[in-house]
Amino acid sequence: MDTTATNKRVRELISDLEEKRLIPNPKFQRRLVWAQKHKAEFINTILNGLPFPEIYIAAGNVDVETGKGYSMLVDGQQRITTIYEYFSDSPNLELPPSIPRYADLSVEKKKDFLEYKVVVRDLGNLEAKEVVEIFERINSTSYSLNAIEISNARYDNELKDLAEDISSLKFWDDRGVFRINEIKRMQDINFILTIIITIISDYFNRDDRIEEFLIRFNDTFESKSKVQYELQSTIGFIDDLSLSYSSRAWQIADLFTLIVETHRVLFKEKKKLDQKNSKSLIESFYIFVDDQKRSSHDQAALELDGIEKHKNFDQRKIERYYSLTVSGTNNRANRIERGYIFHDCALVPD
C-alpha cells in the first residue's frame, strides 16, 4: 500500500470540516468520549507548539460530475473534533482558567494556532473493508481495541443501533452504572448487547454470542421495535422502584440479573408486578444478600419499612446468590442460577 504523509495546517482542517470535505465520524470509530481534562491537555499541547501523533485519512465518495469529494477521518477523530470545538468556542469543551479561550488569544497566538501543522497520512482510495482493517491495525499496538470495539468497526446494523439507543437512556447516568473509561471503551454497549441477546435467546457464557448475533442480524432485525419497547419498559419499571443509590442493584452482576429477570416476569411469563410490593421484596432481598458479608446483622437496616416481613427468605438461597456475585459472575451456569434465585425470592416468591 502506497501511503503519503503531509502536513496540514489547523486552519485547513477546520475549513475541511466546515465545508464537509473531511468526515470526522465514520461508523467504525470509537465514540467521542474524551474527558474534559484530556481535551484541555490536548489544546495545551497545540498552544505550546508541541507535536502529537499523525492522523489518518482515506478517500471518500467523489462526484464525477462536479469533481467534488470528501475524505474520511480514519484515526484521529477526538483530536480533530477537539480542535474544532476550541476554535468554535463549543460548549462541549470546558477549559480550566490556565488555558485561554480561542477568542481571548492575541492575534499572534491565533495565527500560531491556525498555522500549527498536523501530520496527515493519506491512505488513498480504499475499499471500506480495507479502511476498517487499517483502523484495527492502527489501534492494535499501544492501545488495542477490545472485542466490542472491533465488533463496532465490523458491524453496522439494527442490533448495534438498538444497544446504542438503550445506552443513551438517562437511567445509566442517573445511577452511575458506568465509569467514563468504561464508556470510552464501549463496555456499556457490550453490557447492553449481552442483555438484549439474553432476553431474545437465553443466558450464555461471557461475551460468546455477541458477534454471532451481530452477524445474524447484520441485514435486518425484524423484532427491534418489540425488543426496544420491552427493554425500555423493563428499565422504566426498575427506575420507578427508586431503589437506593447505595443498593447493590447498581453493581453490574446484580443489575444484569435484575433487568433480565424482571423482563422475564413482565414479558415472557406475562405477570403483573406491583410496584410497591416489588420494591419492598427487592430491597429486602438485597439487604439479606449484603448481610452475608457482615460479621453481624445490621438490625437497623433490617427493621426498615417493608423489610421485617420478608425474613422468611430461604437462607441457603441467599448465601448461594451472594457467592454467585463474588466470582465467575459472567459464566453461563452462574448467570442461570443467580437468575433463578432472584426470580424466586425477589420477584415471584411462593
Side-chain angles (χ1 to χ4, degrees), residues 270-285:
K270 300 187 183 302
K271 296 177 180 177
K272 290 185 178 181
L273 291 174
D274 176 76
Q275 200 83 39
K276 184 177 180 180
N277 189 51
S278 293
K279 176 182 174 69
S280 179
L281 275 169
I282 292 170
E283 285 181 334
S284 301
F285 177 80

Side-chain angles (χ1 to χ4, degrees), residues 123-345:
L123 302 174
N125 196 352
L126 301 175
E127 295 291 332
K129 64 180 181 180
E130 294 177 297
V131 175
V132 171
E133 181 180 354
I134 291 171
F135 175 74
E136 292 177 16
R137 288 181 180 276
I138 290 170
N139 289 278
S140 65
T141 53
S142 60
Y143 184 40
S144 61
L145 295 176
N146 58 33
I148 186 59
E149 288 174 312
I150 291 174
S151 292
N152 184 56
R154 289 176 175 163
Y155 305 107
D156 178 20
N157 57 40
E158 292 183 327
L159 175 57
K160 192 180 76 174
D161 288 345
L162 174 56
E164 290 273 4
D165 290 344
I166 298 298
S167 75
S168 69
L169 297 176
K170 285 179 78 282
F171 173 81
W172 313 102
D173 288 338
D174 289 348
R175 299 300 184 274
V177 176
F178 302 106
R179 296 187 296 271
I180 186 67
N181 194 54
E182 291 173 325
I183 296 173
K184 182 177 181 180
R185 300 309 305 273
M186 300 187 73
Q187 290 307 298
D188 56 334
I189 300 298
N190 189 78
F191 178 73
I192 294 165
L193 277 171
T194 303
I195 289 174
I196 293 171
I197 295 167
T198 299
I199 67 177
I200 64 177
S201 59
D202 204 348
Y203 286 112
F204 57 95
N205 197 49
R206 300 182 180 276
D207 305 329
D208 289 357
R209 304 194 75 181
I210 289 180
E211 185 166 14
E212 171 195 338
F213 274 73
L214 285 169
I215 293 172
R216 180 183 299 184
F217 297 118
N218 200 40
D219 293 325
T220 183
F221 182 24
E222 294 180 355
S223 60
K224 177 185 175 183
S225 296
K226 175 178 179 291
V227 174
Q228 183 162 12
Y229 168 76
E230 292 181 359
L231 189 50
Q232 288 181 336
S233 298
T234 300
I235 290 172
F237 179 86
I238 293 169
D239 196 20
D240 289 342
L241 292 175
S242 299
L243 300 174
S244 168
Y245 283 90
S246 62
S247 171
R248 69 178 297 123
W250 314 121
Q251 297 179 29
I252 289 296
D254 295 276
L255 182 57
F256 175 81
T257 299
L258 173 59
I259 293 174
V260 171
E261 291 304 320
T262 301
H263 174 273
R264 182 188 305 280
V265 173
L266 292 175
F267 293 100
K268 292 186 177 179
E269 299 175 359
K270 300 187 183 302
K271 296 177 180 177
K272 290 185 178 181
L273 291 174
D274 176 76
Q275 200 83 39
K276 184 177 180 180
N277 189 51
S278 293
K279 176 182 174 69
S280 179
L281 275 169
I282 292 170
E283 285 181 334
S284 301
F285 177 80
Y286 285 144
I287 285 177
F288 276 87
V289 171
D290 281 336
D291 195 57
Q292 301 310 302
K293 59 184 179 183
R294 301 188 183 105
S295 58
S296 61
H297 287 294
D298 182 351
Q299 292 300 327
L302 294 177
E303 291 169 5
L304 289 173
D305 180 46
I307 301 304
E308 186 73 25
K309 63 183 177 183
H310 297 305
K311 283 189 175 181
N312 60 344
F313 286 135
D314 185 324
Q315 183 62 26
R316 290 170 301 177
K317 288 184 177 180
I318 295 291
E319 292 173 356
R320 181 58 180 161
Y321 180 92
Y322 174 72
S323 71
L324 294 168
T325 64
V326 174
S327 62
T329 57
N330 293 330
N331 294 335
R332 180 174 183 269
N334 188 313
R335 285 171 169 170
I336 291 173
E337 188 175 1
R338 202 168 66 230
Y340 283 157
I341 294 172
F342 184 80
H343 176 281
D344 293 345
C345 290

